[in-house]
């Protein structure tokens, strides 16, 4: 259901922290021009945790009006509370997304019964669900046995955004469940490895800046030109790693500012990228092939 390159859209902000809608509009158009298959709204990269309910609603209204059905839309609705996740999902459904992205509840570390019931209640609202599995942020690694039960009991789960770095676990999940749903890469720096185990595509934070390159890598790989795909990935790899020198999306937003898409402003508790890391990023951007960037 969800195939190809999806960018987890950042939220450009003015110096005072207000949402910069002109820059957001330009960012959307640049993503569409790059040929992405979809956009994820209100994900981690959007700094959703720092947005008010009113801001989230305004962003969804603005983005869906701008996109006008030209690509698929997935809206992030997950929190560590089932009640607030359900409310977020109800609010999102008003914008008719193609799916909702629901992170495994963080901090709480739900037991299997609670985790399954959480997703059952979200799925009952009617939208296809993409489960977001990111143990490094949530503190919850879902065992294969529990995932099997979850997928059996909640058939509305149409995809998994996988951001685990345990490739043995990732491969095991892809083999067991890859034919049941869209198994989506959530680790920009492992994109070829995921494609090699038949991942459906990627949801990318680095794609905010490098969408043209990710689209081309995907097309080359799925077209059978795997060596060319990896050669392009290898060219992009240092820039991908630079996106994560500090907590996402601080470096991504700094890069966006450098190429003319809004400011580097992030909201507390995220802070400005260090001077040392800015210098590293500047050197990489200055030496990079401009065709890798959005325009």
């Amino acid at each position: 259901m969800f195939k190809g390159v999806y960018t987890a859209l950042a939220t450009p902000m003015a110096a005072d922290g207000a949402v910069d809608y002109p820059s957001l509009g330009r960012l959307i158009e640049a993503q569409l021009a790059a040929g992405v298959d979809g956009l994820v709204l209100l994900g981690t990269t959007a700094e959703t945790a720092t947005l008010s309910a009113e801001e989230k609603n305004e962003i969804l209204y603005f983005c869906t009006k701008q996109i006008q059905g030209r690509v698929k839309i997935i809206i992030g609705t997950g929190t560590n509370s089932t009640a607030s996740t359900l409310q977020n999902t109800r609010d999102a459904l008003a914008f008719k997304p193609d799916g909702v992205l629901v992170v495994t509840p963080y901090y709480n570390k739900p037991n299997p019964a609670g985790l399954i019931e959480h997703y059952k209640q979200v799925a009952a609202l009617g939208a296809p669900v993409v489960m977001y599995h990111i143990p490094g942020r949530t503190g919850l690694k879902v065992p294969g046995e529990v995932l099997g039960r979850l997928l059996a009991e909640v058939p509305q789960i149409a995809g998994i955004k996988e951001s685990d770095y345990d490739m043995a676990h990732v491969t095991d999940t892809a083999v067991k469940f890859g034919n049941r749903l869209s198994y989506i890469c959530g680790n920009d720096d492992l994109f070829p490895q995921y494609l090699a185990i038949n991942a459906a595509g990627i949801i990318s934070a680095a794609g905010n800046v490098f969408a043209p390159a990710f689209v081309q890598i995907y097309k080359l790989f799925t077209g059978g030109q795997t060596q060319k795909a990896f050669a392009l990935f290898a060219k992009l790899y240092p820039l991908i790693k630079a996106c994560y020198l500090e907590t996402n999306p601080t470096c991504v937003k700094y890069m966006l500012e450098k190429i003319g898409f809004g400011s580097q402003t992030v909201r507390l508790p995220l802070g400005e990228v260090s001077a040392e890391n800015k210098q590293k990023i500047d050197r990489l951007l200055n030496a990079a092939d401009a065709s890798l960037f959005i325009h």
Side-chain angles (χ1 to χ4, degrees):
M1 182 174 189
F2 300 106
K3 293 181 64 176
V5 175
Y6 285 64
T7 296
L9 205 64
T11 305
M13 294 173 181
D16 64 357
V19 178
D20 178 357
Y21 285 103
S23 291
L24 179 56
R26 290 176 52 243
L27 181 58
I28 289 170
E29 291 303 320
Q31 292 294 320
L32 299 186
V36 299
D37 298 281
L39 292 170
V40 175
L41 311 178
L42 300 185
T44 304
T45 309
E47 299 175 79
T48 304
T50 69
L51 298 171
S52 68
E54 182 179 8
E55 286 174 321
K56 286 187 279 190
N57 187 69
E58 289 173 351
I59 288 169
L60 291 178
Y61 176 80
F62 178 89
C63 290
T64 53
K65 185 178 179 181
Q66 178 98 21
I67 295 164
Q68 293 187 335
R70 288 178 286 171
V71 294
K72 286 191 173 183
I73 294 173
I74 299 172
I75 298 175
T77 63
T79 73
N80 67 332
S81 159
T82 301
S84 62
T85 299
L86 291 172
Q87 187 57 57
N88 287 348
T89 303
R90 292 187 194 98
D91 293 343
L93 291 182
F95 297 94
K96 297 180 170 52
D98 296 283
V100 292
L101 181 67
V102 180
V103 68
T104 58
Y106 42 88
Y107 188 77
N108 311 58
K109 293 188 177 181
N111 60 0
L115 183 70
I116 292 168
E117 185 61 27
H118 177 81
Y119 279 98
K120 275 185 178 179
Q121 292 197 18
V122 175
L125 297 178
V129 175
V130 177
M131 173 184 171
Y132 186 10
H133 185 236
I134 181 166
R137 277 189 181 264
T138 64
L140 175 68
K141 185 182 179 80
V142 180
E145 179 186 349
V146 176
L147 181 59
R149 287 176 53 195
L150 177 62
L151 296 180
E153 295 188 37
V154 191
Q156 299 92 333
I157 295 178
I160 297 175
K161 179 187 177 184
E162 180 64 84
S163 294
D164 195 352
Y165 274 92
D166 178 354
M167 286 305 293
H169 165 84
V170 168
T171 303
D172 191 59
T173 302
V175 169
K176 289 180 178 177
F177 307 115
N179 292 327
R180 147 76 171 80
L181 43 64
S182 295
Y183 196 53
I184 304 164
C185 174
N187 294 327
D188 292 332
D189 55 345
L190 293 179
F191 191 25
Q193 291 92 320
Y194 274 79
L195 290 175
I197 56 172
N198 208 31
I202 188 169
I203 294 176
S204 170
N208 278 281
V209 185
F210 305 113
F214 278 102
V215 169
Q216 186 65 10
I217 290 165
Y218 178 79
K219 287 182 176 178
L220 286 168
F221 198 101
T222 56
Q225 299 184 70
T226 56
Q227 290 184 334
K228 286 186 176 180
F230 189 77
L232 179 54
F233 174 79
K235 188 177 179 181
L236 184 65
Y237 186 69
L239 292 158
I240 292 174
K241 297 299 284 186
C243 289
Y244 301 99
L245 288 170
E246 298 186 24
T247 306
N248 183 48
T250 55
C251 294
V252 166
K253 293 184 85 170
Y254 177 71
M255 291 183 186
L256 284 171
E257 179 180 278
K258 296 296 288 187
I259 64 171
F261 287 86
S263 80
Q264 62 184 286
T265 303
V266 290
R267 287 186 178 176
L268 290 170
L270 294 180
E272 188 174 343
V273 177
S274 71
E276 179 184 2
N277 284 331
K278 285 182 179 180
Q279 290 174 1
K280 291 178 182 178
I281 292 168
D282 289 348
R283 286 194 295 269
L284 287 167
L285 291 179
N286 290 336
D289 179 349
S291 68
L292 301 175
F293 306 150
I294 59 168
H295 295 92

